[in-house]
Structure formats: structure tokens, C-alpha cells
Amino acid sequence: MKAIKKWQRAAAVLGALTLALTACGGTDATTGSEEPAAGTDTDTDAGTDTDTDAGTDTDTDTDTGDGGESAAGADWCDDTDVTESIVVGINNPNYATQLAVVLADEKGYFAEQGITDVEIIETDEYIAGLIGGSLTIAQGDTDVTFGSADASGEDLVYLGTYRNGEYQIMGTAPGIENPEDLIGQPVTGGDLEGRNTSLMRKFLQELGVDPDEVEFVPMGGNSDARLQAVMQGTVKAASLFPRHKVPLEEAGGKFMYEEFEVNPQEGVIVMGDTLENDCATVIAYMTADLMARRDMYDFSLKDEHLEIMRSRGFEIPDFFEEVYQIEVEQVGETAGFDVAEMDELVQEMIELGELPEGLDWRQYVDLRPLHTAQEALGIEPEPASLD
């Protein structure tokens, strides 16, 4: 049977979940998950500070807080009231993925903007949660957002990036000394239809090995599960991440391929009606989020930030601490992106069959909340336009 592409999977799930939400009064569209169901795997650790039920937006409005950097009430947004209570869906247990939202909450940046109650839901069903109304805003994969919007016809709006870069890494098992040693051996990128498997084929080609000469095997779980499989020799190579370097080397393996690429792979997403009817809240969210990202890039605050994440229940081993700066530098400091890079990402996903031919990603992007937040914080609007 033909494999279903990840954006098609997402769209298929949406219909069933949205119908269920309608029948049940629109609650609890999300489910906890340790691994994103689709898109680039950027998970970091299995700790989580999040609740397990999705909840719903209470629609309790309040005037924007007295924070000196409030951006609510922009000239394009007639709304001046900020919704006090929001639910944020994030598709990854990675502490670095959730860092900005947690810091914005913990440091009071959301409260300064008028958002006083923030519930964080860890879920791979963030698209369904947005459409069903159990999530106010979400953070997830760029390609899944565009593909789901195209396939479902729902008014999903991409506001800006979260991760704007990625490390592309292939780790190899003990005993694998040269790329040729992988010929005839089992390797994995996780889901056989996922982008990580496509990247593994690229890594092998660049190392001079025909990808058809290795055995690609599917593997569930997150990248930490792939690390364990490589360390144990169950597979001889896998798509991994910077934090895996120390334990892999201690086990006798190594990183055989390692490159960094600018890539607007993850973003912040809302529904069109939320943006239209509650634009002040969207602006407030983006402003607080950028305030937290600014702090993230102050690496003198590393110990403080790690302590905050641990206090929220995240387990961060010493070797995770060592790659803190590497993790943060994958996050877009301004939530902006290079338009040409977005074109390249979308075209790559089209060529891989992960997005439909001819998809126009620009119709799913609205830069107004981002520009308003950036300007409030003295940041040059980025990108200035989608041209």
C-alpha cells in the first residue's frame, strides 16, 4: 500500500478529530507525545513541564499589562484587549524547543503583555488542536503547517519561525570506521517516509556511499531511541543531534557526518479567526516570545535558564548542558527568516514528496504580528516582505 505523506496524515487526522471535537463540545483535541508525528526531528530531552489535557481558551479578556514594551493595539489591529488565558501547543519534549515559552511565562513577559495564565500542552496533534479550538497558538513544523493548510483548506496562519537552523548529523556505531563499512548494514532515520530518512540518504551520498546499498529500517520513538540503537549496534548509523556526541563517543561510536544549515524548519501558528478576532493577544504572545528569545541569546544567563527548566520538570544531564549554546543558536532570535531559504525548504519538501507540487507557502504566512512585535522591541522587521 502506498505510504501516506506526513502532511496528508495530518490532514486525515484533522477531519476525524475536528468532527469529534464538534460532537463533544470542542475539548481535548491534543494528546501527549514524546516525538513529533511528522516533520524534522529536533527533540532534545524527554523531560516535560506540561499538563496532559488540552483545555480550552477561556476568552477572558483584560487590558494589556503595563509592561514598557507592549505592542498591543497596532494600527492594523482594532482589538485592544488581550485574552488573559491561553493554551499553547508544542510538538516536542525538547527543553530547548519549549525554552522560549517557559521563560516568557516564568520571567513575567507574558504577564507584562496582559497574558496572565499560560498552559503549555506537549502534543504532536497541534494542528488538530488549533482547528478544534483547544489550542490558542502552537509551535510546530513548518512543512506540516503548510501541507496541512493546503490539504485541509483550514485557515492556518504561519507567523514566524522558532527553529531557523538545524544540525544534520549521522552517528555511527562502534566498529564502523569508514563510510564503506555501512554497505549492507541497517541504518535508520526513524520513519521511512520522514525527512530524516531523506537526509540520511543525502549524508550517505556525500560520503560516497550509494544509499541503495544500505538497509533502511523504520524505527519508532524519538532520536534518543535511535541513539540507543546505534550505541547497542542494533543499527549501524542513524540521524542524531549535537547532544548525542558525548554518550555516543563514550560507547565507541562517532559522528561521521555533521553539518549546520540555516533552515526555517519550525514556526509559530494560529488560526485565521484567532488572528482576526483576537489580534491583540497574538501580538502580545509574539512580543513576549521575542523578549524571552532575547534572553536566551544572553549566554551568561545559561545557568539561570537551565535551573528554570529543571524547576519545570525537565531532566537535563550534564552533556545536555554542554550543548546549550548550540541548541539555542538553532532558534531564530527574531522569529524572522530569509524568504529564499523558505523557498528552498518548500522546494526540497516538494521534491521529496512531502509537500504537493505547486504549493504556494506565502498564502499561509502573515507577518503583521511579527513585525509589530519586532518594532516594539527595536528589531528591524525581518523579513521585510515575502517578495
Side-chain angles (χ1 to χ4, degrees):
M1 183 172 68
K2 184 177 180 180
I4 301 176
K5 303 302 181 188
K6 60 187 176 186
W7 59 267
Q8 293 174 320
R9 270 204 309 269
V13 170
L14 298 183
L17 284 176
T18 303
L19 284 174
L21 285 164
T22 302
C24 299
T27 61
D28 216 56
T30 58
T31 56
S33 171
E34 284 194 347
E35 173 79 349
T40 304
D41 180 355
T42 53
D43 50 70
T44 299
D45 67 286
T48 177
D49 68 313
T50 57
D51 297 317
T52 55
D53 61 317
T56 56
D57 187 340
T58 62
D59 278 334
T60 302
D61 291 338
T62 183
D63 289 339
T64 303
D66 295 329
E69 296 174 296
S70 174
D75 56 7
W76 61 271
C77 174
D78 294 333
D79 183 22
T80 58
D81 289 337
V82 174
T83 298
E84 192 175 74
S85 180
I86 67 170
V87 184
V88 181
I90 298 182
N91 72 331
N92 204 307
N94 173 352
Y95 85 88
T97 300
Q98 300 190 26
L99 184 57
V101 177
V102 172
L103 292 183
D105 188 30
E106 190 77 19
K107 294 190 172 191
Y109 297 149
F110 282 131
E112 286 182 24
Q113 301 301 316
I115 301 171
T116 58
D117 180 20
V118 180
E119 182 179 5
I120 302 171
I121 303 295
E122 181 186 305
T123 176
D124 59 7
E125 301 293 352
Y126 53 96
I127 297 293
L130 285 172
I131 292 174
S134 61
L135 298 178
T136 313
I137 200 160
Q139 187 177 292
D141 296 310
T142 300
D143 59 324
V144 171
T145 302
F146 295 156
S148 297
D150 180 82
S152 68
E154 297 287 349
D155 190 13
L156 293 161
V157 181
Y158 188 91
L159 301 174
T161 62
Y162 186 69
R163 288 186 186 267
N164 195 36
E166 67 176 346
Y167 278 89
Q168 298 182 352
I169 295 171
M170 182 175 73
T172 55
I176 300 296
E177 300 298 331
N178 303 298
E180 294 77 15
D181 295 340
L182 293 172
I183 294 174
Q185 299 294 330
V187 305
T188 189
D191 180 359
L192 290 180
E193 291 296 322
R195 183 167 180 267
N196 286 324
T197 295
S198 299
L199 287 174
M200 283 285 287
R201 296 181 68 86
K202 169 190 152 182
F203 304 160
L204 290 165
Q205 287 175 329
E206 294 193 8
L207 291 169
V209 174
D210 183 346
D212 292 334
E213 292 188 298
V214 306
E215 180 189 359
F216 279 93
V217 297
M219 180 171 291
N222 58 27
S223 63
D224 290 339
R226 297 199 296 273
L227 170 66
Q228 291 300 316
V230 173
M231 291 169 59
Q232 295 165 8
T234 306
V235 296
K236 300 302 181 180
S239 171
L240 299 178
F241 295 93
R243 71 187 184 280
H244 297 135
K245 188 178 184 69
V246 172
L248 180 60
E249 289 180 347
E250 288 178 348
K254 62 183 177 182
F255 282 2
M256 188 169 284
Y257 183 96
E258 183 177 6
E259 295 288 343
F260 179 80
E261 286 195 2
V262 174
N263 185 347
Q265 59 173 302
E266 292 179 13
V268 182
I269 319 145
V270 296
M271 294 301 295
D273 60 355
T274 299
L275 180 56
E276 179 179 357
N277 300 320
D278 204 7
C279 53
T281 303
V282 177
I283 294 170
Y285 179 92
M286 294 302 294
T287 305
D289 186 18
L290 291 187
M291 293 167 73
R293 297 192 204 193
R294 180 176 59 190
D295 283 2
M296 287 164 58
Y297 271 82
D298 181 350
F299 296 113
S300 70
L301 300 175
K302 168 186 171 181
D303 291 342
E304 174 190 336
H305 293 168
L306 289 173
E307 184 57 34
I308 288 172
M309 298 308 286
R310 287 188 172 109
S311 74
R312 292 290 190 107
F314 287 83
E315 296 180 6
I316 307 175
D318 290 344
F319 56 85
F320 281 19
E321 285 193 32
E322 293 176 15
V323 295
Y324 174 86
Q325 183 166 337
I326 291 173
E327 290 288 347
V328 169
E329 287 176 345
Q330 296 175 69
V331 176
E333 185 174 7
T334 70
F337 56 90
D338 184 279
V339 172
E341 294 287 352
M342 186 68 82
D343 280 333
E344 288 183 16
L345 171 65
V346 171
Q347 185 57 39
E348 175 190 0
M349 302 312 291
I350 289 172
E351 291 173 358
L352 292 173
E354 301 290 348
L355 287 176
E357 190 72 35
L359 180 140
D360 176 14
W361 61 267
R362 287 168 174 80
Q363 67 180 303
Y364 306 122
V365 177
D366 193 320
L367 296 175
R368 292 176 299 172
L370 176 60
H371 283 171
T372 303
Q374 289 173 334
E375 290 169 359
L377 299 175
I379 300 170
E380 191 74 21
E382 177 194 6
S385 74
L386 298 180
D387 295 334

